[in-house]
Structure formats: C-alpha cells, structure tokens
Amino acid sequence: MSKYGRKYTHAVIATDVVVFTIKDEKLQALLIKMKKPEFRGYWAVPGGLVKGEEGLETAAFRHLSEKTGMRGVYIEQLQTFGDPKRDPFGRVVSVAYIALVSWDKHELKTSEQYGGVAWFPIAGLPKLAYDHEEIVRMAATRLKAKIEYTNIVRGLLPRRFTLTELQRAYEIILGKVIDKRNFRKKILETKIIKEVKGKISSGAHRPARMYRFVVDKPQAVEML
Amino acid sequence: MSKYGRKYTHAVIATDVVVFTIKDEKLQALLIKMKKPEFRGYWAVPGGLVKGEEGLETAAFRHLSEKTGMRGVYIEQLQTFGDPKRDPFGRVVSVAYIALVSWDKHELKTSEQYGGVAWFPIAGLPKLAYDHEEIVRMAATRLKAKIEYTNIVRGLLPRRFTLTELQRAYEIILGKVIDKRNFRKKILETKIIKEVKGKISSGAHRPARMYRFVVDKPQAVEML
DNA sequence: CCAAAAGTGTTCCGACTACACCCATGT
DNA sequence: ACATGGGTGTAGTCGGAACACTTTTGG
C-alpha cells in the first residue's frame, strides 16, 4: 500500500505504447505530461486502462489516438509489466507495446486536455512516471535488435524515401556508421524495397532516387 | 458472452507456463488434464490466476509448483494473450511464460488432484483448452529462434552433459542435422562451456567427456 | 566553378561448409 | 574381434568489410 492509497481494489489491466520516431537525426519517443498532482513534472508513455470487452491491441490504439491524435500506426507487443508496486494507486498490470511512426505524418494533438505531448530523444529523457523509464529502455533495446532481421524500419519512414534516409535510420538506431556501398548492395539484394518514379532534390547537389517497401506487412528478413 | 456464462465480472490476470524438455529424442511440453466438465478430454498448459499482491513471475512459479511439483526452473516471459473471447468463463488476460527443464530432474506430481500431468511431443499435441495451442506454438517458435543466439539451451540439459547430448538438443529443436566437427569447434570457441572432470560410459563404446556451462545466467551469445 | 550529397565495383580476409578416419570401450 | 558412439583437421567456398572516385545539381 502506497502513501497515496489504493484506488482500485482489483487488479486492472492497462496498455502503454512507446512510440518511436526519427527526428532531428535522433531516435525519439513520444511522451505526455502527467496531470496527477503526485506526478507533477513527470512525463509518461501514452496508455491507459483496458475496457471490459476490449482487446489489448484495440485499447492500445484507442489510448494512443485519444492522447496523441495518432491513428493507423504500426504496433507490436513488447512485454508485460506486473510488479505489484509499479503503480502507487493500485495493482495495475500493463501490457507494453512499441509503435513506429514517421513523425512528419502525424500532427500532435495540441489539446491541453492531457497536459502536453512532445518528442524526447532517447538519450535525454525527462523524469518518467511509474516504471516507464524501464519500459522505454526495453523498447529501445528491442527495436535495436529487431531492426537487423526484420523490415520494421519501414514504420519509421515515409512511404517514399531515399536510400540515404534509410541508411541514416539504421545508423541512428544502431549507433554506428555504415558503409554506403555495402549498405546499398545488401539492402537492394533483399528485394524488399523497389525504386519508384520520381526524384527528390534537397539542396545544392545531385537529386536522389526514391524507393518504397515492396511488402507492407511486418516480416523477418535479414536486412543487415 | 459464451454459452457457459461469465464467471468473473472484472477482467482478471492469469499466468500460463509452457514447460519444455527434451525427452525420447523429441521436444516435449508439459500438460495437465482439464477437470472442468466443459473441457472434458482437453489438456492445458499449467497456470492460473495471479493473486492480489503477487508478482507475475511469482504467480507463474507458484502455479507450476502447485500443479506439477516443479521448482527452481528457468522461466522467461513469452507474450500476453488478451483476446476478450479466449476464455469462455470471463475476461482473463494471460501472461504466458516459457520454462525449460531437464526432464529427469523433476518427478512429476502424481496427485490426481489436477487430473493428470504428462509430457507430450510438440508434434502430436492432444486437444488443448482455450488458446493454449496458439501459446504452445508461439513458445516453440520463440525457443527455436532464441536457441541460436542465447545460452538458454542450458535449461534443457543436466548440470553436466556430453557434447553429443548438447548437439542432439540443438538438432532436435532446430529440426536439422549438424556436422559434429563444426559444432564442436563453434561451441568450444564461444568459451561458454568448459570440460569438467569425469567421463560417462553409456554402452559399448568410448566414454564421453563431461562439460558444464561456465555462465549460469541467461545471456545473448552467438551459439551457432 | 565550387560545394555537397548521390551513385557505383573490386579486392581481401575471415567464417562457414563439407568431408573421413582413428580411438576407447563393452560384450 | 567387432560393434558402437567419441573424438579430431583441412581445403574450398561464400559472404562481409574495407576502400575512392565520378556524377549531378543549386547557388
């Protein structure tokens, strides 16, 4: 029993979604500012309770949409956190999800109904409520592992992208530089992306070809 | 609402543990026979509800011990299953775990209090209750994936084992034959196992050297 | 014409694969 | 002595890593 007292008498089930994006050359997570007075100054991963007849993933989508305005993003289950002490208000078991988005595709809900929504670089998180720090860390670790053998990087990019953008995504998440020629050779021979008509000019240099993913569904592929 | 009616008004949390072992040259899972009349003839993975102030992993251990007599095994979280319709008696969200044991280390509880406990080969499961078939399938897939890049195989073997036993474990789980010389070279250069004094004679042939794992804690290692 | 990112092949080396025979024991 | 699984080394091949210059555009 915490100093705040238990709010729920039964254990309840919640979902939390760690939303990742790549922005300003950094891996960033979406956080919302806490409103509860006990957590003043803390931020949290968007989430909330699961309704009686609602599926877990459905609940995750609903809270994400309600609190951030995001819809139609890719999510996958991360892990379930159930330490009896993780929530001072009662026994809350949280099923954590990872979501990947192309940040420029989503307008963040400005409504101050939830106290603010903002992106934070993974290196440089603010104070997080509950065990959300652990959840975000584990999510980042999982992302780093899965990006090498699946096509999930897709979720972080816009529909059409350049090979340099794709390579930067890998470099940022893995935290290391990759040789350009080897990268292109490897990625192209997976046949998982395909050139698409149109080039993009982004400055005083040669314009880049655009590509898109051939398979839209998540699957295991040896990417690197 | 199912034809059996809802037993619980609130969603409750349960754990289920898929226990794997290698026995008779096959990967096998531990199942218990259902007692509820609605599930006559069905088997299930050992598990049950989480108590009010009990941790998830603690609950998994407790049910495993109560229903099968096993203690001190290695478990890790698999996934959480929360389809609102997965349990006809109410909304039960189940956190599934994987356990790995050396089958000869554990005497199965003979008490018929739970309707019977038995090993079943993964290829050749009986009718399973709830969504346990899906849970076991996913557990087997996860095991197959993780055995290549972690030291979890350790959980399936006795403390001291021969290289042939270790190789057989890999062959059975991966479902393919492995070259003996390449296997030994690879495994030994990981430094994750170490020869131990004593040999084992198991028939009309040269006795085998015994080995043990150097690190007892689960960790990621490129095994194959 | 200069700056800046796009685009493109080859060589080298280490890792994985394939493969066959002698050894130590029990019966 | 023979049947059985334990134990050992090498050669060939393939994939990953290292590496530098030309192209196209905007300013």
Side-chain angles (χ1 to χ4, degrees):
Chain A
M1 197 62 93
S2 91
K3 61 177 176 176
Y4 300 118
R6 292 289 186 177
K7 185 172 173 187
Y8 314 111
T9 52
H10 297 80
V12 293
I13 301 166
T15 61
D16 287 303
V17 184
V18 182
V19 186
F20 285 119
T21 201
I22 288 179
K23 186 161 129 56
D24 303 336
E25 300 275 297
K26 288 194 282 276
L27 181 63
Q28 311 217 16
L30 190 64
L31 301 175
I32 60 180
K33 192 182 261 172
M34 295 290 288
K35 285 178 65 189
K36 299 187 183 182
E38 299 85 359
F39 279 117
R40 184 175 306 283
Y42 283 74
W43 294 72
V45 152
L49 301 185
V50 177
K51 287 184 179 169
E53 292 293 319
E54 189 181 40
L56 296 175
E57 217 171 85
T58 308
F61 279 125
R62 178 171 59 80
H63 286 291
L64 191 56
S65 160
E66 285 176 7
K67 294 178 175 55
T68 71
M70 287 187 174
R71 278 186 54 85
V73 305
Y74 166 72
I75 73 171
E76 73 171 50
Q77 202 183 111
L78 170 64
Q79 243 218 349
T80 297
F81 296 82
D83 184 328
K85 304 256 189 300
R86 61 179 291 280
D87 187 329
F89 298 102
R91 182 74 197 276
V92 180
V93 172
S94 173
V95 184
Y97 285 82
I98 294 180
L100 302 178
V101 306
S102 171
W103 71 276
D104 49 358
K105 264 196 280 206
H106 301 272
E107 187 89 10
L108 291 188
K109 213 169 184 170
T110 50
S111 137
E112 288 297 317
Q113 179 183 3
Y114 289 104
V117 184
W119 292 108
F120 286 89
I122 291 303
L125 293 173
K127 272 286 192 190
L128 296 187
Y130 311 111
D131 54 358
H132 285 191
E133 164 116 15
E134 182 188 358
I135 294 178
V136 174
R137 294 271 163 248
M138 187 172 297
T141 302
R142 175 79 63 93
L143 173 61
K144 190 168 168 172
K146 286 197 79 168
I147 199 175
E148 297 209 47
Y149 65 91
T150 70
N151 63 348
I152 48 169
V153 71
R154 200 191 65 76
L156 294 166
L157 296 172
R159 259 250 301 284
R160 294 159 18 98
F161 53 88
T162 69
L163 289 183
T164 301
E165 285 168 349
L166 181 60
Q167 183 176 342
R168 285 300 294 144
Y170 277 96
E171 290 179 335
I172 290 164
I173 292 169
L174 296 177
K176 67 178 184 190
V177 297
I178 301 173
D179 180 85
K180 202 204 314 190
R181 281 173 290 190
N182 294 337
F183 177 80
R184 290 173 179 231
K185 205 186 312 161
K186 199 84 201 297
I187 287 290
L188 290 174
E189 77 194 9
T190 65
K191 302 284 187 200
I192 211 169
I193 62 172
K194 189 183 149 185
E195 189 176 347
V196 69
K197 249 198 317 234
K199 299 196 179 188
I200 179 77
S201 269
S202 61
H205 55 84
R206 179 171 176 173
R209 297 178 184 170
M210 304 292 289
Y211 292 80
R212 68 172 178 81
F213 277 88
V214 174
V215 287
D216 255 16
K217 299 305 159 210
Q219 64 174 31
V221 189
E222 207 58 49
M223 303 290 282
L224 300 182
Chain B
M1 198 61 95
S2 91
K3 60 178 175 174
Y4 301 117
R6 293 289 186 177
K7 184 171 172 186
Y8 313 111
T9 52
H10 297 80
V12 293
I13 300 165
T15 60
D16 286 303
V17 185
V18 181
V19 186
F20 286 120
T21 201
I22 289 180
K23 186 161 130 52
D24 303 335
E25 301 275 296
K26 290 194 282 273
L27 181 63
Q28 311 217 15
L30 190 64
L31 301 175
I32 61 180
K33 191 183 262 172
M34 294 291 287
K35 284 179 64 190
K36 298 185 185 183
E38 299 85 359
F39 278 117
R40 184 176 306 283
Y42 282 74
W43 293 72
V45 151
L49 300 184
V50 177
K51 286 184 179 169
E53 293 293 320
E54 187 182 41
L56 296 174
E57 216 171 84
T58 309
F61 279 124
R62 178 172 57 81
H63 285 291
L64 192 55
S65 160
E66 286 176 7
K67 294 178 175 55
T68 71
M70 288 187 174
R71 278 186 55 85
V73 305
Y74 166 73
I75 74 171
E76 73 171 51
Q77 203 184 110
L78 171 64
Q79 245 217 351
T80 297
F81 296 81
D83 184 329
K85 303 256 189 300
R86 62 178 291 281
D87 187 328
F89 297 102
R91 182 73 197 277
V92 181
V93 172
S94 173
V95 184
Y97 285 82
I98 294 179
L100 303 178
V101 306
S102 170
W103 73 275
D104 49 358
K105 265 197 279 208
H106 301 271
E107 187 89 9
L108 292 188
K109 214 168 184 170
T110 50
S111 137
E112 289 295 317
Q113 178 184 3
Y114 289 105
V117 184
W119 292 109
F120 286 89
I122 290 304
L125 292 174
K127 272 286 190 189
L128 296 186
Y130 312 112
D131 54 0
H132 286 192
E133 164 116 17
E134 183 188 356
I135 295 178
V136 174
R137 294 271 163 248
M138 187 173 298
T141 302
R142 176 79 63 92
L143 173 62
K144 189 168 169 174
K146 286 197 80 168
I147 200 175
E148 296 210 47
Y149 65 93
T150 69
N151 63 349
I152 50 169
V153 71
R154 199 190 64 77
L156 293 167
L157 297 172
R159 260 249 301 285
R160 295 159 16 97
F161 52 88
T162 68
L163 289 182
T164 301
E165 284 168 351
L166 181 60
Q167 181 176 343
R168 285 300 295 143
Y170 277 95
E171 290 180 334
I172 289 164
I173 291 169
L174 296 176
K176 66 179 184 190
V177 297
I178 301 173
D179 180 85
K180 201 200 319 187
R181 281 173 290 191
N182 293 338
F183 176 80
R184 290 173 180 232
K185 204 186 313 160
K186 199 83 200 299
I187 287 290
L188 289 174
E189 78 192 11
T190 65
K191 304 285 188 198
I192 211 170
I193 61 171
K194 188 183 150 184
E195 190 176 348
V196 70
K197 246 196 322 231
K199 299 196 179 189
I200 179 76
S201 269
S202 61
H205 56 84
R206 179 171 175 173
R209 297 178 184 169
M210 304 293 289
Y211 292 80
R212 68 172 178 80
F213 278 88
V214 175
V215 288
D216 254 17
K217 298 306 159 208
Q219 65 174 29
V221 189
E222 206 59 50
M223 303 290 282
L224 300 184

